[in-house]
Coordinates of all heavy atoms in Angstrom, one line a residue:
M200 N -230.6 -26.3 -89.4 CA -231.3 -25.2 -88.7 C -230.4 -24.5 -87.8 O -229.6 -25.1 -87.1 CB -232.5 -25.9 -87.9 CG -233.5 -24.9 -87.4 SD -234.9 -25.7 -86.6 CE -234.9 -27.4 -87.0
E201 N -230.4 -23.2 -87.9 CA -229.5 -22.3 -87.1 C -229.9 -22.4 -85.6 O -231.1 -22.4 -85.3 CB -229.8 -20.9 -87.7 CG -228.9 -19.8 -87.2 CD -229.2 -18.5 -87.8 OE1 -230.0 -18.4 -88.7 OE2 -228.6 -17.5 -87.4
I202 N -228.9 -22.4 -84.8 CA -229.1 -22.4 -83.3 C -228.9 -20.9 -82.9 O -227.9 -20.3 -83.1 CB -228.1 -23.3 -82.6 CG1 -228.3 -24.7 -83.1 CG2 -228.2 -23.2 -81.1 CD1 -227.2 -25.7 -82.5
W203 N -230.0 -20.5 -82.2 CA -229.9 -19.1 -81.7 C -229.7 -19.0 -80.2 O -230.1 -19.9 -79.4 CB -231.3 -18.4 -81.9 CG -231.5 -18.0 -83.3 CD1 -230.7 -18.1 -84.4 CD2 -232.7 -17.3 -83.8 NE1 -231.3 -17.5 -85.5 CE2 -232.5 -17.1 -85.1 CE3 -233.9 -16.9 -83.2 CZ2 -233.5 -16.4 -85.9 CZ3 -234.9 -16.3 -83.9 CH2 -234.6 -16.0 -85.3
Q204 N -229.0 -18.0 -79.8 CA -228.8 -17.6 -78.4 C -229.8 -16.4 -78.2 O -230.4 -15.9 -79.2 CB -227.4 -17.2 -78.1 CG -226.4 -18.3 -78.4 CD -226.6 -19.5 -77.7 OE1 -227.0 -19.5 -76.5 NE2 -226.4 -20.7 -78.3
K205 N -229.8 -15.8 -77.1 CA -230.7 -14.7 -76.8 C -230.4 -13.5 -77.7 O -231.4 -12.8 -78.2 CB -230.6 -14.2 -75.4 CG -231.3 -15.1 -74.4 CD -231.3 -14.4 -73.0 CE -232.0 -15.4 -72.0 NZ -232.1 -14.8 -70.7
Q206 N -229.2 -13.2 -78.1 CA -228.8 -12.1 -78.9 C -229.5 -12.2 -80.3 O -230.0 -11.2 -80.8 CB -227.3 -12.0 -79.0 CG -226.8 -10.9 -79.9 CD -225.3 -10.8 -80.0 OE1 -224.6 -11.7 -79.5 NE2 -224.8 -9.9 -80.8
E207 N -229.4 -13.4 -80.9 CA -230.0 -13.5 -82.2 C -231.5 -13.4 -82.1 O -232.2 -12.7 -83.0 CB -229.7 -14.9 -82.8 CG -228.2 -15.0 -83.2 CD -227.3 -15.6 -82.1 OE1 -227.8 -15.8 -81.0 OE2 -226.2 -15.8 -82.4
F208 N -232.1 -14.0 -81.1 CA -233.6 -13.9 -80.9 C -234.0 -12.4 -80.8 O -234.9 -11.9 -81.5 CB -234.0 -14.7 -79.7 CG -235.4 -14.6 -79.3 CD1 -236.4 -15.1 -80.1 CD2 -235.8 -13.9 -78.2 CE1 -237.7 -15.0 -79.8 CE2 -237.1 -13.8 -77.8 CZ -238.1 -14.4 -78.6
E209 N -233.3 -11.7 -79.9 CA -233.7 -10.3 -79.7 C -233.5 -9.4 -80.9 O -234.2 -8.5 -81.2 CB -232.9 -9.8 -78.4 CG -233.4 -10.4 -77.2 CD -232.5 -10.1 -76.0 OE1 -231.5 -9.5 -76.1 OE2 -232.9 -10.5 -74.9
Q210 N -232.4 -9.7 -81.7 CA -232.2 -9.0 -82.9 C -233.3 -9.2 -83.9 O -233.8 -8.2 -84.5 CB -230.8 -9.4 -83.5 CG -230.5 -8.8 -84.8 CD -229.2 -9.3 -85.4 OE1 -228.5 -10.0 -84.8 NE2 -229.0 -8.9 -86.7
H211 N -233.8 -10.4 -84.1 CA -234.8 -10.7 -85.0 C -236.2 -10.0 -84.6 O -236.9 -9.5 -85.4 CB -235.0 -12.1 -85.2 CG -234.0 -12.7 -86.1 ND1 -232.7 -13.0 -85.7 CD2 -234.1 -13.1 -87.4 CE1 -232.0 -13.5 -86.8 NE2 -232.8 -13.5 -87.8
L212 N -236.4 -10.0 -83.3 CA -237.6 -9.3 -82.8 C -237.5 -7.8 -83.0 O -238.4 -7.1 -83.5 CB -237.7 -9.5 -81.2 CG -238.1 -10.9 -80.8 CD1 -238.2 -10.9 -79.2 CD2 -239.4 -11.3 -81.3
A213 N -236.3 -7.2 -82.7 CA -236.1 -5.7 -82.9 C -236.2 -5.3 -84.4 O -236.6 -4.2 -84.7 CB -234.7 -5.3 -82.4
E214 N -235.8 -6.2 -85.3 CA -235.8 -6.0 -86.7 C -237.2 -6.3 -87.3 O -237.4 -6.3 -88.5 CB -234.7 -6.7 -87.4 CG -233.3 -6.2 -87.0 CD -232.2 -7.0 -87.6 OE1 -232.5 -8.0 -88.3 OE2 -231.0 -6.6 -87.4
H215 N -238.2 -6.7 -86.5 CA -239.5 -7.0 -86.9 C -239.5 -8.1 -88.0 O -240.2 -7.9 -89.0 CB -240.3 -5.8 -87.4 CG -240.3 -4.7 -86.3 ND1 -241.1 -4.8 -85.2 CD2 -239.6 -3.6 -86.2 CE1 -240.9 -3.8 -84.4 NE2 -240.0 -3.0 -85.0
Q216 N -238.8 -9.1 -87.9 CA -238.7 -10.2 -88.9 C -239.7 -11.3 -88.7 O -240.2 -11.5 -87.6 CB -237.3 -10.8 -88.9 CG -236.2 -9.8 -89.3 CD -234.9 -10.4 -89.5 OE1 -234.7 -11.6 -89.6 NE2 -233.8 -9.6 -89.6
N217 N -239.9 -12.0 -89.7 CA -240.8 -13.2 -89.7 C -239.9 -14.4 -89.4 O -238.8 -14.6 -90.1 CB -241.5 -13.4 -91.0 CG -242.5 -12.3 -91.3 OD1 -242.9 -11.6 -90.4 ND2 -242.8 -12.1 -92.6
F218 N -240.2 -15.3 -88.5 CA -239.4 -16.5 -88.3 C -240.2 -17.5 -87.5 O -241.2 -17.2 -86.9 CB -238.1 -16.2 -87.5 CG -238.3 -15.5 -86.2 CD1 -238.3 -16.2 -85.0 CD2 -238.3 -14.1 -86.1 CE1 -238.4 -15.6 -83.8 CE2 -238.4 -13.5 -84.9 CZ -238.5 -14.2 -83.7
I219 N -239.7 -18.8 -87.6 CA -240.3 -19.9 -86.9 C -239.2 -20.4 -85.9 O -238.0 -20.6 -86.3 CB -240.6 -21.1 -87.8 CG1 -241.5 -20.7 -89.0 CG2 -241.2 -22.2 -87.0 CD1 -242.8 -20.2 -88.6
L220 N -239.5 -20.4 -84.6 CA -238.5 -20.7 -83.6 C -238.9 -22.1 -82.9 O -240.0 -22.2 -82.4 CB -238.4 -19.6 -82.5 CG -237.3 -19.8 -81.5 CD1 -235.9 -19.9 -82.1 CD2 -237.3 -18.6 -80.5
Y221 N -238.0 -23.0 -83.0 CA -238.2 -24.3 -82.4 C -237.5 -24.4 -81.1 O -236.3 -24.2 -81.0 CB -237.6 -25.4 -83.4 CG -237.5 -26.8 -82.8 CD1 -238.6 -27.4 -82.2 CD2 -236.3 -27.4 -82.8 CE1 -238.4 -28.7 -81.7 CE2 -236.1 -28.7 -82.3 CZ -237.2 -29.3 -81.7 OH -237.1 -30.6 -81.2
F222 N -238.3 -24.6 -80.0 CA -237.7 -24.7 -78.7 C -237.6 -26.2 -78.3 O -238.6 -27.0 -78.5 CB -238.6 -24.0 -77.6 CG -238.3 -22.6 -77.5 CD1 -239.3 -21.6 -77.7 CD2 -237.0 -22.1 -77.2 CE1 -239.0 -20.3 -77.6 CE2 -236.7 -20.7 -77.0 CZ -237.8 -19.8 -77.2
Y223 N -236.5 -26.6 -77.8 CA -236.2 -27.9 -77.4 C -235.3 -27.9 -76.1 O -234.9 -26.9 -75.6 CB -235.4 -28.7 -78.5 CG -234.0 -28.1 -78.6 CD1 -232.9 -28.8 -78.0 CD2 -233.7 -26.9 -79.3 CE1 -231.6 -28.3 -78.1 CE2 -232.4 -26.5 -79.4 CZ -231.4 -27.1 -78.8 OH -230.1 -26.6 -78.9
T224 N -235.1 -29.1 -75.5 CA -234.1 -29.2 -74.5 C -233.2 -30.4 -74.9 O -233.7 -31.4 -75.6 CB -234.6 -29.5 -73.1 OG1 -235.4 -30.7 -73.1 CG2 -235.5 -28.3 -72.6
P225 N -231.9 -30.4 -74.6 CA -231.0 -31.4 -75.0 C -231.3 -32.8 -74.5 O -231.0 -33.8 -75.2 CB -229.6 -31.0 -74.5 CG -229.8 -29.5 -74.2 CD -231.2 -29.3 -73.9
T226 N -232.0 -32.9 -73.4 CA -232.3 -34.3 -72.9 C -233.6 -34.8 -73.3 O -234.0 -35.9 -72.9 CB -232.2 -34.2 -71.3 OG1 -233.2 -33.3 -70.9 CG2 -230.8 -33.9 -70.8
C227 N -234.4 -34.1 -74.1 CA -235.7 -34.5 -74.6 C -235.6 -35.4 -75.8 O -235.2 -34.9 -76.9 CB -236.5 -33.2 -74.9 SG -238.0 -33.5 -75.7
G228 N -235.9 -36.6 -75.7 CA -235.8 -37.6 -76.8 C -236.8 -37.3 -77.9 O -236.5 -37.4 -79.1
V229 N -238.0 -36.9 -77.5 CA -239.1 -36.5 -78.5 C -238.6 -35.3 -79.3 O -238.9 -35.2 -80.5 CB -240.4 -36.2 -77.8 CG1 -241.5 -35.7 -78.8 CG2 -240.9 -37.5 -77.1
C230 N -237.9 -34.4 -78.7 CA -237.3 -33.2 -79.3 C -236.4 -33.6 -80.5 O -236.4 -32.9 -81.5 CB -236.6 -32.3 -78.3 SG -237.7 -31.6 -77.1
Q231 N -235.6 -34.6 -80.3 CA -234.7 -35.0 -81.4 C -235.5 -35.4 -82.6 O -235.1 -35.1 -83.7 CB -233.8 -36.2 -80.9 CG -233.1 -35.9 -79.6 CD -232.2 -34.7 -79.7 OE1 -231.6 -34.4 -80.7 NE2 -232.2 -33.9 -78.7
L232 N -236.5 -36.2 -82.4 CA -237.4 -36.6 -83.6 C -238.1 -35.4 -84.2 O -238.1 -35.2 -85.4 CB -238.4 -37.6 -83.1 CG -239.4 -38.1 -84.2 CD1 -238.7 -38.7 -85.4 CD2 -240.4 -39.0 -83.6
A233 N -238.7 -34.5 -83.3 CA -239.4 -33.4 -83.8 C -238.4 -32.5 -84.6 O -238.8 -31.9 -85.7 CB -240.0 -32.6 -82.7
G234 N -237.2 -32.3 -84.2 CA -236.2 -31.5 -84.9 C -235.9 -32.1 -86.3 O -235.8 -31.3 -87.2
Q235 N -235.9 -33.4 -86.4 CA -235.7 -34.0 -87.8 C -236.9 -33.7 -88.7 O -236.7 -33.4 -89.9 CB -235.5 -35.5 -87.6 CG -234.2 -35.8 -86.9 CD -234.0 -37.3 -86.7 OE1 -234.9 -38.1 -87.0 NE2 -232.9 -37.7 -86.1
L236 N -238.1 -33.8 -88.1 CA -239.3 -33.5 -88.9 C -239.3 -32.0 -89.4 O -239.7 -31.7 -90.5 CB -240.5 -33.9 -88.1 CG -240.7 -35.3 -87.7 CD1 -241.9 -35.5 -86.8 CD2 -240.8 -36.2 -89.0
I237 N -238.9 -31.1 -88.5 CA -238.9 -29.7 -88.8 C -237.9 -29.5 -89.9 O -238.1 -28.6 -90.8 CB -238.6 -28.9 -87.5 CG1 -239.8 -29.0 -86.5 CG2 -238.4 -27.4 -87.9 CD1 -239.5 -28.5 -85.2
E238 N -236.8 -30.2 -89.9 CA -235.8 -30.0 -90.9 C -236.3 -30.4 -92.3 O -236.0 -29.8 -93.3 CB -234.5 -30.7 -90.6 CG -233.8 -30.0 -89.4 CD -232.5 -30.8 -89.0 OE1 -232.3 -31.9 -89.5 OE2 -231.8 -30.3 -88.1
F239 N -237.2 -31.4 -92.4 CA -237.9 -31.7 -93.6 C -238.7 -30.6 -94.1 O -238.7 -30.2 -95.3 CB -238.7 -33.0 -93.5 CG -238.0 -34.3 -93.4 CD1 -238.1 -35.1 -92.3 CD2 -237.2 -34.7 -94.5 CE1 -237.4 -36.3 -92.3 CE2 -236.5 -35.9 -94.4 CZ -236.6 -36.7 -93.3
V240 N -239.5 -30.0 -93.2 CA -240.3 -28.8 -93.6 C -239.5 -27.7 -94.0 O -239.8 -27.0 -95.0 CB -241.3 -28.5 -92.4 CG1 -242.1 -27.2 -92.8 CG2 -242.2 -29.7 -92.1
E241 N -238.4 -27.4 -93.3 CA -237.5 -26.3 -93.6 C -236.9 -26.5 -95.0 O -236.9 -25.5 -95.8 CB -236.3 -26.3 -92.6 CG -235.3 -25.2 -92.8 CD -234.2 -25.2 -91.8 OE1 -233.9 -26.3 -91.3 OE2 -233.6 -24.2 -91.6
A242 N -236.6 -27.7 -95.4 CA -236.1 -28.0 -96.7 C -237.2 -27.7 -97.8 O -236.9 -27.3 -98.9 CB -235.6 -29.4 -96.8
A243 N -238.4 -28.0 -97.5 CA -239.5 -27.8 -98.4 C -240.0 -26.4 -98.5 O -240.6 -26.0 -99.5 CB -240.7 -28.7 -98.0
K244 N -239.7 -25.6 -97.5 CA -240.1 -24.2 -97.5 C -238.9 -23.3 -97.2 O -238.8 -22.6 -96.1 CB -241.2 -24.0 -96.4 CG -242.5 -24.7 -96.6 CD -243.2 -24.3 -97.8 CE -243.8 -23.0 -97.7 NZ -244.6 -22.5 -98.8
P245 N -237.9 -23.2 -98.1 CA -236.7 -22.4 -97.8 C -236.9 -20.9 -97.7 O -236.1 -20.2 -97.2 CB -235.8 -22.7 -99.1 CG -236.8 -23.2 -100.1 CD -237.9 -23.8 -99.4
E246 N -238.1 -20.5 -98.1 CA -238.4 -19.0 -97.9 C -238.7 -18.7 -96.5 O -238.7 -17.5 -96.1 CB -239.5 -18.6 -98.9 CG -240.9 -19.2 -98.5 CD -241.2 -20.6 -99.1 OE1 -240.2 -21.2 -99.6 OE2 -242.3 -21.0 -99.0
L247 N -239.0 -19.7 -95.7 CA -239.3 -19.4 -94.3 C -238.0 -19.5 -93.5 O -237.1 -20.3 -93.8 CB -240.3 -20.4 -93.7 CG -241.7 -20.4 -94.3 CD1 -242.5 -21.6 -93.7 CD2 -242.4 -19.1 -94.2
H248 N -237.9 -18.6 -92.4 CA -236.7 -18.6 -91.6 C -236.9 -19.4 -90.4 O -237.7 -19.1 -89.5 CB -236.4 -17.1 -91.3 CG -235.0 -17.0 -90.6 ND1 -234.4 -15.8 -90.5 CD2 -234.2 -17.9 -90.1 CE1 -233.3 -16.0 -89.8 NE2 -233.1 -17.2 -89.6
F249 N -236.2 -20.5 -90.3 CA -236.3 -21.4 -89.1 C -235.1 -21.3 -88.2 O -233.9 -21.1 -88.7 CB -236.4 -22.9 -89.6 CG -237.7 -23.3 -90.2 CD1 -238.0 -23.0 -91.5 CD2 -238.6 -24.0 -89.4 CE1 -239.1 -23.4 -92.1 CE2 -239.8 -24.4 -90.0 CZ -240.1 -24.1 -91.3
A250 N -235.2 -21.4 -86.9 CA -234.1 -21.4 -86.0 C -234.5 -22.3 -84.8 O -235.7 -22.5 -84.6 CB -233.8 -20.0 -85.5
K251 N -233.6 -22.7 -84.0 CA -233.9 -23.4 -82.8 C -233.1 -22.9 -81.6 O -232.1 -22.3 -81.8 CB -233.6 -24.9 -83.0 CG -232.2 -25.3 -83.2 CD -232.1 -26.8 -83.4 CE -230.6 -27.3 -83.6 NZ -230.6 -28.8 -83.7
A252 N -233.7 -23.1 -80.5 CA -233.0 -22.6 -79.2 C -233.4 -23.6 -78.1 O -234.5 -24.1 -78.0 CB -233.6 -21.2 -78.9
D253 N -232.4 -23.7 -77.2 CA -232.6 -24.5 -76.0 C -233.5 -23.7 -75.0 O -233.1 -22.6 -74.5 CB -231.2 -24.8 -75.4 CG -231.3 -25.7 -74.1 OD1 -232.4 -25.8 -73.5 OD2 -230.2 -26.2 -73.8
L254 N -234.6 -24.2 -74.7 CA -235.6 -23.4 -73.8 C -235.0 -23.2 -72.4 O -235.4 -22.2 -71.8 CB -236.9 -24.2 -73.7 CG -238.0 -23.5 -73.0 CD1 -238.4 -22.2 -73.8 CD2 -239.2 -24.4 -72.9
N255 N -234.0 -23.9 -72.0 CA -233.4 -23.7 -70.7 C -232.8 -22.3 -70.6 O -232.7 -21.8 -69.5 CB -232.4 -24.8 -70.4 CG -232.9 -26.1 -70.2 OD1 -234.0 -26.3 -69.5 ND2 -232.3 -27.1 -70.8
F256 N -232.4 -21.8 -71.7 CA -231.8 -20.4 -71.7 C -232.7 -19.3 -72.1 O -232.3 -18.2 -72.2 CB -230.6 -20.4 -72.7 CG -229.5 -21.4 -72.3 CD1 -229.3 -22.6 -73.1 CD2 -228.8 -21.3 -71.2 CE1 -228.4 -23.5 -72.7 CE2 -227.8 -22.2 -70.8 CZ -227.6 -23.3 -71.6
F257 N -234.0 -19.6 -72.2 CA -235.0 -18.6 -72.5 C -236.2 -18.7 -71.5 O -237.4 -18.7 -71.9 CB -235.6 -18.8 -73.9 CG -234.6 -18.5 -75.0 CD1 -233.6 -19.4 -75.3 CD2 -234.7 -17.4 -75.7 CE1 -232.6 -19.1 -76.3 CE2 -233.8 -17.1 -76.7 CZ -232.8 -17.9 -77.0
P258 N -236.0 -18.6 -70.2 CA -237.1 -18.8 -69.3 C -238.1 -17.6 -69.4 O -239.3 -17.9 -69.2 CB -236.4 -18.8 -67.9 CG -235.1 -18.1 -68.1 CD -234.7 -18.4 -69.5
E259 N -237.6 -16.4 -69.7 CA -238.6 -15.3 -69.8 C -239.5 -15.5 -71.0 O -240.7 -15.1 -70.9 CB -237.9 -14.0 -69.9 CG -237.0 -13.8 -71.1 CD -235.7 -14.5 -71.1 OE1 -235.2 -15.0 -70.1 OE2 -235.1 -14.7 -72.2
V260 N -239.0 -16.1 -72.1 CA -239.9 -16.3 -73.2 C -240.9 -17.4 -72.9 O -242.1 -17.3 -73.2 CB -239.1 -16.7 -74.5 CG1 -240.0 -17.1 -75.7 CG2 -238.1 -15.6 -74.9
A261 N -240.5 -18.5 -72.2 CA -241.3 -19.5 -71.8 C -242.5 -19.0 -70.9 O -243.6 -19.4 -71.1 CB -240.6 -20.6 -71.1
E262 N -242.1 -18.1 -70.0 CA -243.1 -17.6 -69.1 C -244.1 -16.6 -69.8 O -245.3 -16.7 -69.7 CB -242.4 -16.8 -68.0 CG -243.4 -16.3 -66.9 CD -242.7 -15.6 -65.8 OE1 -241.5 -16.0 -65.5 OE2 -243.3 -14.7 -65.2
K263 N -243.5 -15.8 -70.7 CA -244.3 -14.8 -71.4 C -245.4 -15.4 -72.3 O -246.5 -15.0 -72.4 CB -243.4 -13.9 -72.2 CG -244.2 -12.8 -73.0 CD -243.2 -11.9 -73.7 CE -243.9 -10.8 -74.5 NZ -243.0 -9.9 -75.2
H264 N -245.0 -16.5 -73.0 CA -245.9 -17.2 -73.9 C -246.5 -18.5 -73.4 O -247.1 -19.2 -74.1 CB -245.1 -17.4 -75.2 CG -244.6 -16.2 -75.9 ND1 -245.4 -15.1 -76.2 CD2 -243.4 -15.9 -76.3 CE1 -244.7 -14.2 -76.8 NE2 -243.5 -14.6 -76.9
H265 N -246.3 -18.7 -72.1 CA -246.9 -19.8 -71.4 C -246.5 -21.2 -72.1 O -247.4 -22.0 -72.3 CB -248.4 -19.7 -71.3 CG -248.9 -18.4 -70.8 ND1 -248.8 -18.1 -69.4 CD2 -249.4 -17.3 -71.3 CE1 -249.2 -16.9 -69.2 NE2 -249.6 -16.3 -70.4
I266 N -245.2 -21.3 -72.4 CA -244.8 -22.6 -73.0 C -244.9 -23.7 -71.9 O -244.3 -23.6 -70.9 CB -243.3 -22.4 -73.5 CG1 -243.2 -21.3 -74.4 CG2 -242.8 -23.7 -74.1 CD1 -244.0 -21.3 -75.7
R267 N -245.7 -24.7 -72.2 CA -246.0 -25.7 -71.3 C -245.0 -26.8 -71.3 O -244.8 -27.5 -70.3 CB -247.4 -26.3 -71.6 CG -248.5 -25.3 -71.6 CD -249.8 -26.0 -71.8 NE -249.7 -27.0 -72.9 CZ -250.4 -26.9 -74.0 NH1 -251.3 -25.9 -74.2 NH2 -250.3 -27.9 -74.9
S268 N -244.4 -27.1 -72.5 CA -243.5 -28.2 -72.6 C -242.7 -28.1 -73.9 O -243.0 -27.2 -74.7 CB -244.3 -29.5 -72.7 OG -245.2 -29.6 -73.8
V269 N -241.8 -29.0 -74.1 CA -241.0 -29.1 -75.3 C -241.3 -30.5 -75.9 O -241.6 -31.4 -75.1 CB -239.5 -28.8 -75.1 CG1 -239.2 -27.4 -74.7 CG2 -238.9 -29.8 -74.1
P270 N -241.2 -30.6 -77.2 CA -240.8 -29.6 -78.2 C -242.0 -28.6 -78.4 O -243.2 -29.0 -78.3 CB -240.6 -30.4 -79.4 CG -241.4 -31.7 -79.3 CD -241.4 -31.9 -77.8
A271 N -241.6 -27.4 -78.7 CA -242.6 -26.4 -79.0 C -242.1 -25.6 -80.2 O -240.9 -25.3 -80.4 CB -242.8 -25.4 -77.8
L272 N -243.0 -25.2 -81.1 CA -242.7 -24.4 -82.3 C -243.5 -23.1 -82.2 O -244.7 -23.1 -82.1 CB -243.1 -25.2 -83.5 CG -242.5 -24.9 -84.9 CD1 -241.0 -25.0 -84.8 CD2 -243.1 -25.8 -86.0
L273 N -242.8 -22.0 -82.3 CA -243.4 -20.7 -82.1 C -243.3 -19.9 -83.5 O -242.2 -20.0 -84.1 CB -242.7 -19.8 -81.1 CG -243.1 -20.2 -79.6 CD1 -242.5 -21.5 -79.2 CD2 -242.6 -19.1 -78.7
K274 N -244.3 -19.3 -83.8 CA -244.4 -18.5 -85.1 C -244.4 -17.0 -84.7 O -245.2 -16.6 -84.0 CB -245.6 -18.9 -85.9 CG -245.6 -18.3 -87.3 CD -246.8 -18.9 -88.1 CE -246.8 -18.4 -89.5 NZ -247.8 -19.0 -90.3
Y275 N -243.5 -16.3 -85.4 CA -243.4 -14.8 -85.2 C -243.6 -14.2 -86.5 O -243.0 -14.6 -87.5 CB -242.1 -14.4 -84.6 CG -241.8 -14.8 -83.2 CD1 -241.5 -16.1 -82.8 CD2 -242.0 -13.9 -82.2 CE1 -241.3 -16.4 -81.5 CE2 -241.9 -14.2 -80.9 CZ -241.5 -15.5 -80.5 OH -241.3 -15.8 -79.2
Q276 N -244.4 -13.1 -86.6 CA -244.6 -12.3 -87.8 C -244.3 -10.9 -87.5 O -244.9 -10.3 -86.5 CB -246.0 -12.5 -88.3 CG -246.2 -11.9 -89.7 CD -247.5 -12.4 -90.3 OE1 -248.3 -13.2 -89.7 NE2 -247.8 -11.8 -91.4
D277 N -243.5 -10.3 -88.3 CA -243.1 -8.9 -88.0 C -242.5 -8.7 -86.6 O -242.8 -7.7 -86.0 CB -244.2 -7.9 -88.3 CG -244.7 -8.0 -89.8 OD1 -243.9 -8.1 -90.7 OD2 -245.9 -7.9 -90.0
G278 N -241.8 -9.7 -86.1 CA -241.2 -9.6 -84.8 C -242.2 -9.8 -83.7 O -241.8 -9.7 -82.5
A279 N -243.4 -10.1 -84.0 CA -244.4 -10.3 -82.9 C -244.9 -11.8 -82.8 O -245.1 -12.4 -83.9 CB -245.7 -9.4 -83.2
F280 N -245.0 -12.3 -81.6 CA -245.5 -13.7 -81.4 C -246.9 -13.8 -82.0 O -247.8 -13.0 -81.7 CB -245.4 -14.0 -79.9 CG -246.1 -15.3 -79.6 CD1 -245.4 -16.5 -79.8 CD2 -247.3 -15.4 -79.0 CE1 -245.9 -17.7 -79.5 CE2 -247.9 -16.6 -78.7 CZ -247.2 -17.7 -78.9
Q281 N -247.1 -14.9 -82.7 CA -248.4 -15.2 -83.3 C -249.1 -16.4 -82.6 O -250.2 -16.3 -82.2 CB -248.3 -15.5 -84.8 CG -247.8 -14.3 -85.6 CD -248.7 -13.1 -85.5 OE1 -249.9 -13.2 -85.9 NE2 -248.2 -12.0 -85.1
K282 N -248.3 -17.5 -82.6 CA -248.9 -18.7 -82.0 C -247.9 -19.8 -81.7 O -246.7 -19.6 -82.2 CB -250.0 -19.3 -82.9 CG -249.6 -19.6 -84.3 CD -250.8 -20.0 -85.2 CE -250.4 -20.1 -86.7 NZ -251.6 -20.5 -87.4
V283 N -248.3 -20.8 -81.0 CA -247.4 -21.9 -80.7 C -248.1 -23.2 -81.0 O -249.3 -23.3 -81.0 CB -247.1 -21.9 -79.1 CG1 -248.3 -22.1 -78.3 CG2 -246.0 -22.9 -78.8
S284 N -247.2 -24.2 -81.4 CA -247.7 -25.5 -81.6 C -246.9 -26.6 -80.9 O -245.7 -26.4 -80.8 CB -247.6 -25.9 -83.1 OG -248.0 -27.2 -83.4
Y285 N -247.6 -27.5 -80.3 CA -246.9 -28.7 -79.6 C -247.1 -29.9 -80.4 O -246.6 -31.0 -80.1 CB -247.5 -28.9 -78.2 CG -247.3 -27.6 -77.3 CD1 -248.4 -26.8 -77.1 CD2 -246.1 -27.4 -76.7 CE1 -248.2 -25.7 -76.3 CE2 -245.9 -26.2 -75.9 CZ -247.0 -25.4 -75.7 OH -246.9 -24.3 -75.0
G286 N -247.9 -29.8 -81.5 CA -248.2 -31.0 -82.4 C -247.1 -31.2 -83.4 O -247.3 -31.0 -84.6
L287 N -246.0 -31.7 -82.9 CA -244.8 -31.8 -83.8 C -244.5 -33.3 -84.1 O -243.4 -33.7 -84.2 CB -243.6 -31.1 -83.2 CG -243.9 -29.7 -82.7 CD1 -242.6 -29.1 -82.1 CD2 -244.3 -28.8 -83.9
N288 N -245.6 -34.1 -84.2 CA -245.3 -35.6 -84.3 C -245.4 -36.0 -85.8 O -245.2 -37.2 -86.0 CB -246.3 -36.4 -83.5 CG -247.7 -36.0 -83.8 OD1 -248.0 -35.1 -84.5 ND2 -248.7 -36.8 -83.2
N289 N -245.7 -35.1 -86.7 CA -245.6 -35.5 -88.1 C -245.4 -34.3 -89.0 O -245.7 -33.2 -88.6 CB -246.9 -36.3 -88.5 CG -248.1 -35.4 -88.5 OD1 -248.3 -34.5 -89.3 ND2 -249.1 -35.8 -87.6
V290 N -244.8 -34.6 -90.2 CA -244.5 -33.5 -91.1 C -245.7 -32.7 -91.5 O -245.6 -31.4 -91.6 CB -243.7 -34.1 -92.3 CG1 -243.5 -33.0 -93.4 CG2 -242.4 -34.7 -91.9
T291 N -246.8 -33.3 -91.8 CA -248.0 -32.6 -92.2 C -248.5 -31.6 -91.2 O -248.7 -30.4 -91.6 CB -249.1 -33.6 -92.5 OG1 -248.7 -34.6 -93.5 CG2 -250.4 -32.9 -93.0
S292 N -248.5 -31.9 -90.0 CA -249.0 -30.9 -89.0 C -248.0 -29.8 -88.8 O -248.4 -28.6 -88.7 CB -249.3 -31.6 -87.6 OG -248.1 -32.1 -87.1
I293 N -246.7 -30.1 -88.9 CA -245.7 -29.0 -88.8 C -245.9 -28.1 -90.1 O -245.9 -26.9 -89.9 CB -244.3 -29.6 -88.7 CG1 -244.2 -30.4 -87.4 CG2 -243.3 -28.5 -88.8 CD1 -242.9 -31.2 -87.3
F294 N -246.0 -28.7 -91.2 CA -246.1 -27.9 -92.5 C -247.4 -27.0 -92.4 O -247.3 -25.8 -92.8 CB -246.2 -28.8 -93.7 CG -246.2 -28.1 -95.0 CD1 -245.0 -27.8 -95.6 CD2 -247.4 -27.8 -95.6 CE1 -245.0 -27.1 -96.8 CE2 -247.4 -27.1 -96.8 CZ -246.2 -26.8 -97.5
E295 N -248.5 -27.6 -92.0 CA -249.7 -26.8 -91.9 C -249.6 -25.6 -90.9 O -250.0 -24.5 -91.1 CB -250.9 -27.7 -91.5 CG -251.3 -28.6 -92.6 CD -252.4 -29.6 -92.2 OE1 -252.7 -29.7 -91.1 OE2 -252.8 -30.3 -93.1
F296 N -248.9 -25.9 -89.8 CA -248.7 -24.8 -88.8 C -247.8 -23.7 -89.3 O -248.2 -22.5 -89.2 CB -248.0 -25.4 -87.5 CG -247.6 -24.3 -86.5 CD1 -248.6 -23.7 -85.7 CD2 -246.3 -23.9 -86.4 CE1 -248.3 -22.7 -84.8 CE2 -246.0 -22.9 -85.5 CZ -246.9 -22.3 -84.7
V297 N -246.7 -24.0 -90.0 CA -245.8 -22.9 -90.4 C -246.4 -22.2 -91.6 O -246.0 -21.0 -91.8 CB -244.4 -23.4 -90.7 CG1 -243.8 -24.1 -89.4 CG2 -244.3 -24.4 -91.9
T298 N -247.2 -22.8 -92.4 CA -247.8 -22.1 -93.6 C -249.1 -21.4 -93.3 O -249.7 -20.7 -94.2 CB -247.9 -23.1 -94.8 OG1 -248.7 -24.2 -94.4 CG2 -246.5 -23.6 -95.2
S299 N -249.7 -21.7 -92.1 CA -251.0 -21.1 -91.8 C -250.9 -19.6 -91.5 O -249.8 -19.1 -91.2 CB -251.7 -21.8 -90.6 OG -250.9 -21.5 -89.5
K300 N -252.0 -18.9 -91.7 CA -252.0 -17.4 -91.4 C -252.2 -17.1 -90.0 O -252.7 -17.8 -89.2 CB -253.0 -16.7 -92.3 CG -252.8 -16.9 -93.7 CD -251.6 -16.0 -94.2 CE -251.4 -16.2 -95.6 NZ -250.2 -15.8 -96.1

């Protein structure tokens, strides 16, 4: 999974792209497990664009979208925020979130 900085994030928004953004923090143990589960889904759905970012470097995004905790998975369509999921404890729930409309 590609690691994004603000520049990549802002570029994808400006280009109105579809993507799934995984927010984590380096000291979050649950985030490590969630990241592995997301990578399974990423392998099963290669047509979806997945990226991850350290939430510590995106405070304005956290505030704007009311991100309560990590791990968090955000879905963007045409560069616009659609929804967030905190239910990242199994592959099935992650798969359903990223493939839902």
